[in-house]
Amino acid sequence: MAQKPKVDPHVGRLGYLQALVTEFQETESQDAKEQVLANLANFAYDPNNYQYLRQLQVLDLFLDSLSEENESLVEFAIGGLCNLCADRANKEYILQVGGIPLITNCLSSPNEETVLSAVTTLMYLSSPGAGSHPELTSLPVVQCMLRFSLSANVRLRNLAQIFLEDFCSPTQVAEARSWHAHSALGIPLPRTEAPQQP
């Protein structure tokens, strides 16, 4: 188990978040990186932290982490981005810096939580006020959502159906259904963990 971050509890919110970012950047331990990124993703859930997280460039840290080979880092990074997307400034930043392809790449993750967060993040980015970003509902994304809408995983199936109904036009869905070269067919469904027996 990784150690708790080495942070003075009296430094205040910004200081604490800065210490986490510094630890993430300086540590060589993968366990410590995972723990710190998980902590930052949790802090991203609180709107009181949005300004500090922008100031500390945590959005970039999350976006950069989406390209990591370590599945846990990707899971925590997309979870953090999903939490941050509720804020208009964060949403606009992600769209402006070209974060959409990094997020859509997460749709092919074998990790269920990563895929669920990626779908939810795409939904948040597609919501009103985001402006026109056709890549959010590109043909491969819609095909992927069609495939997910047939999943045995209820959470994934429901999210995909909402995405198709609320964020895609009937024409986009029909085109994706009729397209013969289904580029999304090669994307495996995420692993689901077996239910725990009591």
Side-chain angles (χ1 to χ4, degrees), residues 126-198:
S126 299
S127 62
S132 177
H133 291 276
E135 63 269 39
L136 289 165
T137 55
S138 65
L139 183 61
V141 171
V142 178
Q143 288 173 328
C144 190
M145 295 302 166
L146 282 170
R147 184 152 185 263
F148 289 164
S149 73
L150 303 174
S151 172
N153 179 315
V154 176
R155 293 189 308 156
L156 181 58
R157 182 176 63 236
N158 288 345
L159 272 177
Q161 288 171 344
I162 291 168
F163 186 93
L164 292 167
E165 291 171 12
D166 291 357
F167 301 101
C168 301
S169 70
T171 304
Q172 289 174 306
V173 174
E175 180 183 357
R177 280 195 172 116
S178 68
W179 194 258
H180 294 296
H182 287 282
S183 62
L185 287 180
I187 296 176
L189 291 174
R191 292 185 306 262
T192 56
E193 295 186 24
Q196 299 285 330
Q197 297 297 326

Side-chain angles (χ1 to χ4, degrees), residues 68-85:
E68 291 285 338
E69 289 183 24
N70 179 324
E71 285 289 332
S72 293
L73 291 178
V74 174
E75 176 186 345
F76 299 138
I78 191 66
L81 287 170
C82 186
N83 288 340
L84 288 169
C85 279

Side-chain angles (χ1 to χ4, degrees), residues 83-99:
N83 288 340
L84 288 169
C85 279
D87 179 72
R88 171 179 266 147
N90 293 336
K91 179 190 316 184
E92 289 173 0
Y93 181 81
I94 292 165
L95 293 169
Q96 288 172 358
V97 299

Side-chain angles (χ1 to χ4, degrees), residues 13-79:
R13 191 180 300 240
L14 178 60
Y16 184 79
L17 293 170
Q18 175 65 66
L20 288 174
V21 170
T22 301
E23 182 172 352
F24 182 85
Q25 293 168 336
E26 292 178 355
T27 188
E28 297 295 322
S29 164
Q30 285 297 305
D31 287 342
K33 279 187 180 288
E34 289 174 14
Q35 183 175 349
V36 170
L37 205 60
N39 284 332
L40 288 170
N42 287 335
F43 280 108
Y45 188 72
D46 184 351
N48 292 321
N49 295 325
Y50 290 167
Q51 178 183 347
Y52 300 128
L53 295 171
R54 280 193 297 272
Q55 181 180 342
L56 296 170
Q57 299 176 332
V58 172
L59 282 92
D60 291 318
L61 190 144
F62 286 152
L63 288 166
D64 291 343
S65 295
L66 294 181
S67 301
E68 291 285 338
E69 289 183 24
N70 179 324
E71 285 289 332
S72 293
L73 291 178
V74 174
E75 176 186 345
F76 299 138
I78 191 66

